Amino acid sequence: MHARITHLPRKLISTVGAGFALALALIIALIFLGLHQLAATNAHLESIVQENSVKSRLANQMRDILRDRAISMLTIVVTSDAFEKDAEMLRFYAFGLSYQQVRGDLAKLIKRPREKQVLASIDRLTRSNQPVMVRTVDLAVEGYTFLAFEELQREGIPLQRELVTELDALIQIQREMTARAAEEARSDYQRTRILMITLGALAVLAAGLVAVTVMRRTARL
């Protein structure tokens, strides 16, 4: 009888220890997996948002440069002062160089097929627009103001509008990708929340089973 009474507490201690060890392991797993998943989700979202923000900024810069270059070209057409024309031509070609530099920086970040398609369209329109702008400037410099205006209205302005439209489309893609990344982050958060609730419930269940076992075995002593 004494041996039986001595044996039960040892089994009881073993059961309690195993139960609480399981509950503790589940709680630790809950904390680790939850924090790891949330950190990974946050890092992914930050990366997407930052990359899309940079691409949007570069596309906006290209659009601003196009606008400034168009204003510069128009100034060359309407001004009659030769020195002012020369100074404005330097600015005109400087804008062209800046455009190509920004475009090169943007191209390094373009990865997705839809983005590449829009960038290819921008490049095609740029190649078509460049000789038109140069012809317009040359006509203005040579004094053919009426012909320069005609060239500008016939080809320059429509191509400029198409370029701006494509750049707007590229910016819109970045907005959509940012919104999609935010939605994916919300989905990941929900999955992590469900996982944490499940593990928490298992930990509570394990602790409850231990408590029931302890009460039952204590009642038998």
Side-chain angles (χ1 to χ4, degrees), residues 67-76 88 91-92 95:
R67 180 199 61 204
D68 293 339
R69 198 173 190 222
I71 293 173
S72 179
M73 179 177 60
L74 186 59
T75 302
I76 294 171
E88 199 60 52
R91 282 193 288 270
F92 173 80
F95 285 135

Side-chain angles (χ1 to χ4, degrees), residues 73 76-79 85 135-145 148:
M73 179 177 60
I76 294 171
V77 172
V78 300
T79 187
K85 278 184 184 291
R135 281 200 305 271
T136 302
V137 169
D138 288 343
L139 287 170
V141 170
E142 292 171 7
Y144 300 106
T145 304

Side-chain angles (χ1 to χ4, degrees), residues 15-207:
T15 301
V16 171
F20 278 109
L22 177 60
L24 180 62
L26 287 172
I27 291 172
I28 293 174
L30 169 66
I31 294 172
F32 176 79
L33 289 175
L35 291 177
H36 175 74
Q37 185 64 33
L38 289 174
T41 299
N42 186 59
H44 176 68
L45 180 59
E46 284 184 357
S47 175
I48 294 294
V49 170
Q50 182 178 3
E51 181 180 315
N52 292 343
S53 176
V54 171
K55 286 187 285 188
S56 295
R57 177 176 57 80
L58 292 173
N60 273 307
Q61 283 183 6
M62 290 172 67
R63 188 171 58 180
D64 290 343
I65 292 170
L66 282 176
R67 180 199 61 204
D68 293 339
R69 198 173 190 222
I71 293 173
S72 179
M73 179 177 60
L74 186 59
T75 302
I76 294 171
V77 172
V78 300
T79 187
S80 57
D81 186 277
F83 292 103
E84 188 176 346
K85 278 184 184 291
D86 290 340
E88 199 60 52
M89 282 187 65
L90 292 176
R91 282 193 288 270
F92 173 80
Y93 287 110
F95 285 135
L97 180 60
S98 297
Y99 180 89
Q100 291 300 324
Q101 289 174 340
V102 175
R103 185 266 171 209
D105 292 338
L106 177 62
K108 295 174 185 176
L109 301 174
I110 296 298
K111 301 173 184 177
R112 294 167 181 81
R114 189 179 170 196
E115 292 177 306
K116 291 180 179 179
Q117 182 180 0
V118 174
L119 184 61
S121 179
I122 290 171
D123 290 342
R124 176 181 56 79
L125 288 169
T126 301
R127 287 192 296 270
S128 299
N129 193 37
Q130 178 64 17
V132 174
M133 297 185 80
V134 171
R135 281 200 305 271
T136 302
V137 169
D138 288 343
L139 287 170
V141 170
E142 292 171 7
Y144 300 106
T145 304
F146 177 79
L147 292 177
F149 268 116
E150 187 179 67
E151 183 78 7
L152 189 61
Q153 292 178 343
R154 184 169 55 86
E155 292 191 74
I157 292 176
L159 284 170
Q160 191 86 359
R161 286 174 178 168
E162 288 186 59
L163 268 170
V164 170
T165 298
E166 291 298 324
L167 286 167
D168 286 341
L170 188 59
I171 293 170
Q172 181 61 32
I173 290 173
Q174 309 314 312
R175 291 172 181 162
E176 292 173 0
M177 288 194 298
T178 299
R180 192 179 303 119
E183 183 60 35
E184 290 174 358
R186 280 192 290 270
S187 298
D188 288 343
Y189 170 77
Q190 290 298 329
R191 285 193 293 269
T192 302
R193 183 170 175 268
I194 292 171
L195 175 62
M196 294 180 74
I197 291 173
T198 302
L199 290 177
L202 290 174
V204 171
L205 179 62

